[in-house]
Amino acid sequence: MTHRFDTAAPGDRTTPRILAEAHELVGAAARVFDRDEYARALLADCEYRLREPLRVALAGSIKAGKSTLLNALVGQAVAPTDATECTRVVTWYRDGATPTVTAHAADGSRANVIVRRGSGAHGLTFDLNGLRWDAPSPREVDHLEVGWPSAALSQTTIIDTPGTSSLSREVSLRTARLLTPADAGGDRGAPISVPGADAVVYLLRRLDAADVSFLEQIGAGGGGSGPLGVIGVVSRADEIGSGRIDALHSARDVAARFAGELERTGLCQAVIPVAGLLAFAASTLRQPEFAAFEALSAVPAEDLAIALLSADRFARADIALPVEPELRAQLVDRFGLFGIRMATMLIRLGVRDSSSLAAELADRSGIEELRSVLEVQFGQRAGELKAHSALSTLDRILAAYPGTEADRLRPRVRARLADVHGFTELRLLGRLRTDELPLPPPVLADLHRILGGAGVAAHLRLGLSAEADPDALRTAAFAAVRSWRARAAHPLADQSTATACRAAARSAEGILAELS
């Protein structure tokens, strides 16, 4: 199965313009700093960033399941999931012609990393011992880069980060430096810290003060210099219900509670429960595993329930089941108790082949819902998110050179960051329910849709079918412009409501301009 984030939705013509403007501003800065080697290097990276795939970081507390979710999104075992040294450094996963893992030091030195393949859920290990650097003396690993042939990675570079609550302060700071760069404060000669990701998927097992504090630092929805888009994931969702068959229902309740708490601060655009282990196992389901589930589904439900009281009990050799203990242990390792219960139940309900079972398990894991949200929030706005990152980086570079030609260029960059309507839409979508706008629920739903919350294509924004002809789209867009302008101008509308309605009117005007 191929998974990807589309970089532009059908009918979306704003992305090339936004990227072109960002390219032009970066080029103007390059001409200003043509003799400053450090600034030129940063600007070259900025230019490259506009051309490369969208960068999405996976962040969250230690053991939140980031690497497992990464494997599920890619559909291959590309990330080690056991607690080895490689999980303590930032690791970039990019599309590559052949599988390669490279260690990078802060000074630019490199070393090839040996990859060891194991069994079960912990399929890969990156061996960081005895690295042979292309430098005279050993170096400390700054980050890893994994090149892997993958359709998903050809569209999106995924960055796996160390746990934000690691016992080692330095390990936690590696994630903070990537996502929440420190401000140089206009100090000439000070190192310029820039955001490394365009968007963030933040994994939550519980919502505590540390999570809220880190999300606030990221600056999602607040126009900060960090990533503009943040999606929350209630990770390891099957464990919330102790592996029961209704575990995801419990996880959805938890996700709704987390979403309600996060909405009050506008820190996430959505919160989705996902059973990452089950999602990855479903994407790599093997025929012998399907055969084992078929055999287990024939066991009387009461007997199987007793065997599944714990993982250790299920794999015991003295428990009479029609599957060998070694294979049972592998099923627990890959699918968890929840996955075993779900798979056997689905077969009893009529699933007859491995591909159908894999699709059903993936759907029930929550991974397809997450992919859908990522596609709408990140994939269809990839150009806008990349442009925001590049312009934010450019702004920080210019701020570090006060009293130079940068002073004349910086207002143009700041104006682009403030005026690009796609950025406004993303910020409003992040804050929409937070602001508690005094609008009827159907109107709020229309507002969410016209701002691109269900997708950026014209028919999606207007609530029409994909087959709607241009005349129908123009008629609906013109009606939307009039409606949202009237709401914005209503004498009883408060400032937040008027601002949101004006943005909606501008979105509708953009559709009319596109159709012209």
Side-chain angles (χ1 to χ4, degrees):
M1 186 181 297
T2 298
H3 310 298
R4 55 170 288 179
F5 303 139
D6 288 334
T7 55
D12 177 23
R13 300 178 185 176
T14 60
T15 292
R17 176 177 55 80
I18 294 168
L19 288 174
E21 290 171 346
H23 276 293
E24 191 274 327
L25 287 167
V26 172
R31 291 189 291 275
V32 169
F33 297 112
D34 62 338
R35 297 184 180 181
D36 188 307
E37 184 177 353
Y38 178 54
R40 282 205 324 271
L42 288 172
L43 290 166
D45 182 68
C46 212
E47 174 70 24
Y48 173 71
R49 187 164 183 168
L50 290 167
R51 293 183 280 108
E52 70 172 341
L54 185 73
R55 298 177 180 180
V56 176
L58 301 183
S61 62
I62 192 169
K63 294 189 179 298
K66 296 182 290 294
S67 300
T68 300
L69 182 62
L70 190 156
N71 287 335
L73 288 170
V74 175
Q76 300 180 58
V78 299
T81 56
D82 51 346
T84 57
E85 183 65 22
C86 62
T87 62
R88 295 165 58 84
V89 298
V90 173
T91 305
W92 296 64
Y93 291 84
R94 307 179 187 270
D95 183 41
T98 58
T100 58
V101 182
T102 307
H104 293 257
D107 65 355
S109 302
R110 300 182 181 187
N112 291 328
V113 177
I114 296 175
V115 180
R116 305 189 188 281
R117 183 172 293 278
S119 59
H122 309 313
L124 294 177
T125 297
F126 299 161
D127 188 354
L128 301 185
N129 296 316
L131 294 176
R132 296 184 177 180
W133 296 94
D134 58 356
S137 58
R139 298 288 193 270
E140 181 179 353
V141 176
D142 177 72
H143 68 278
L144 301 176
E145 286 204 13
V146 178
W148 206 275
S150 165
L153 294 176
S154 69
Q155 300 297 323
T156 309
T157 294
I158 303 180
I159 310 169
D160 195 7
T161 65
T164 56
S165 58
S166 172
L167 293 177
S168 167
R169 184 172 180 273
E170 176 55 33
V171 170
S172 293
L173 282 175
R174 291 168 183 165
T175 300
R177 283 194 292 266
L178 179 80
L179 301 179
T180 59
D183 194 344
D187 183 9
R188 291 284 297 272
I192 301 170
S193 179
V194 298
D198 304 312
V200 177
V201 175
Y202 193 87
L203 280 68
L204 302 149
R205 297 190 69 182
R206 56 187 177 276
L207 186 61
D208 55 26
D211 289 317
V212 173
S213 175
F214 193 81
L215 286 167
E216 287 175 341
Q217 291 177 53
I218 291 175
S225 61
L228 193 59
V230 180
I231 299 298
V233 169
V234 178
S235 62
R236 305 176 73 158
D238 51 315
E239 296 179 7
I240 290 175
S242 301
R244 299 190 311 270
I245 200 70
D246 63 346
L248 280 181
H249 292 292
S250 300
R252 288 193 181 281
D253 291 339
V254 172
R257 177 167 58 82
F258 286 178
E261 295 179 21
L262 290 171
E263 282 164 9
R264 286 195 287 273
T265 50
L267 296 177
C268 284
Q269 293 160 334
V271 181
I272 311 295
V274 178
L277 184 67
L278 178 60
F280 173 61
S283 68
T284 55
L285 178 67
R286 305 155 187 160
Q287 187 59 38
E289 293 170 336
F290 175 77
F293 287 136
E294 272 194 316
L296 291 170
S297 67
V299 175
E302 297 80 3
D303 295 344
L304 186 59
I306 292 172
L308 286 168
L309 287 174
S310 71
D312 289 340
R313 181 181 180 85
F314 180 71
R316 274 169 42 185
D318 60 340
I319 298 294
L321 291 172
V323 175
E324 291 299 316
E326 184 178 353
L327 181 51
R328 277 184 263 154
Q330 178 183 311
L331 293 178
V332 170
D333 194 34
R334 282 195 12 96
F335 293 83
L337 296 177
F338 171 72
I340 296 171
R341 292 187 178 105
M342 183 63 69
T344 52
M345 181 195 75
L346 289 169
I347 290 174
R348 290 193 190 107
L349 291 175
V351 173
R352 291 290 174 261
D353 58 75
S354 59
S355 60
S356 298
L357 180 61
E360 292 284 353
L361 291 175
D363 184 58
R364 284 162 172 76
S365 73
I367 194 68
E368 297 304 330
E369 182 181 1
L370 176 60
R371 283 199 181 100
S372 177
V373 171
L374 291 174
E375 168 61 18
V376 171
Q377 299 289 351
F378 296 166
Q380 294 182 15
R381 296 182 181 270
E384 294 169 354
L385 291 167
K386 291 193 294 182
H388 180 270
S389 295
L391 291 173
S392 296
T393 298
L394 179 56
D395 183 52
R396 300 178 76 84
I397 296 170
L398 298 175
Y401 290 86
T404 69
E405 288 294 315
D407 290 346
R408 287 208 292 259
L409 184 58
R410 195 180 184 204
R412 293 176 57 194
V413 175
R414 305 283 299 175
R416 286 292 82 200
L417 282 169
D419 291 346
V420 171
H421 185 61
F423 302 163
T424 301
E425 287 183 333
L426 281 166
R427 295 187 187 105
L428 278 173
L429 286 170
R431 298 197 304 258
L432 193 54
R433 287 177 291 180
T434 308
D435 290 342
E436 298 180 356
L437 301 180
L439 295 171
V443 178
L444 283 172
D446 287 344
L447 178 60
H448 181 268
R449 187 173 60 241
I450 196 71
L451 292 173
V456 299
H459 72 279
L460 294 174
R461 289 179 181 269
L462 296 169
L464 300 178
S465 71
E467 290 74 31
D469 59 48
D471 286 340
L473 291 170
R474 273 191 290 270
T475 299
F478 186 69
V481 171
R482 288 189 302 175
S483 173
W484 290 113
R485 280 181 179 172
R487 288 187 179 279
H490 195 285
L492 297 182
D494 60 57
Q495 183 176 353
S496 294
T497 301
T499 298
C501 292
R502 281 194 295 269
R506 187 172 175 186
S507 296
E509 289 166 357
I511 296 173
L512 283 175
E514 178 183 321
L515 293 170
S516 299

